Structures are given as C-alpha cells and as structure tokens.
Amino acid sequence: MSNDIQTKVREVKTAQASGDASVAEITADDSVTQDICMPDICRDKAEVIYILLTVGDFFEAGQEMLRVEDGPNSMVIPAPFAGTVVEVKVAVGDKVSEGTALFVATSVEA
C-alpha cells in the first residue's frame, strides 16, 4: 500500500475525530470498492458474534474483521486485502453463509 493512501486515511480519521462532516469517505485514483463476502468455512449458517471494524476504519490484509459462531465453533473472518471500510452489511446476531456480503470496502491495488 502506498504511503499516500495511508496519509489520506490518517487525514480522514483526524477530520472525523474533530467532527468535520465534510469528510465522507476515502477515495484515490488507484482504489476499487468491492464487497467482502463470507468464505466457505462453515457447514451451515453461522451467527455473527463480534464485529471489529466500523465505517472509515483502515485494515490490513489478514486482519481479523469479524467473528462468527457455527454451533460450538467460533471462527475468525480475516480481511482478504488491505483497505478501508465503506459500509458494514451485517450486524451482531445475523446469520450468514458462504457468499453473504459482510462489508463494502475500498481496496488499494498494488
């Protein structure tokens, strides 16, 4: 990820923390918005038990995004790429299965 994008993320977070409502989202010439979907890791539907990211959060590839529970098993759902959360599509308690959109995120292509 380029330093320019990391700098933009810091600037947006600073503006959001200071209450600057004009900052809505992070955009860059080399960014792409895409869904992050539930991978095929459980037998049936799993319940979302914890969401670790919110809109505007920057995340690294492999970072834990949320946790789901399938019966006695608790599983971590990692980020498939680095980016910034644009929308959270699920809530704690939702039942999800393979292919369910979990987040919309702006990714940065290398």
Side-chain angles (χ1 to χ4, degrees), residues 28-65:
D29 295 337
D30 57 349
S31 66
V32 176
T33 301
Q34 58 186 305
D35 287 342
I36 297 175
C37 297
M38 178 72 174
D40 180 20
I41 62 166
C42 55
R43 293 172 280 143
D44 212 356
K45 288 196 173 224
E47 181 178 347
V48 177
I49 59 171
Y50 196 78
I51 301 172
L52 296 155
L53 300 174
T54 188
V55 173
D57 285 351
F58 173 78
F59 57 89
E60 295 287 345
Q63 180 178 331
E64 184 176 345
M65 300 186 83

Side-chain angles (χ1 to χ4, degrees), residues 67-101:
R67 291 182 190 188
V68 296
E69 191 172 72
D70 177 18
N73 302 316
S74 175
M75 295 158 277
V76 170
I77 308 301
F81 53 83
T84 303
V85 177
V86 175
E87 179 182 358
V88 180
K89 308 240 347 154
V90 294
V92 172
D94 285 356
K95 302 285 186 181
V96 295
S97 57
E98 179 184 2
T100 301

Side-chain angles (χ1 to χ4, degrees), residues 10-25:
R10 282 192 293 276
E11 288 172 0
V12 168
K13 286 190 177 228
T14 300
Q16 289 172 335
S18 69
D20 185 352
S22 67
V23 180
E25 64 182 68

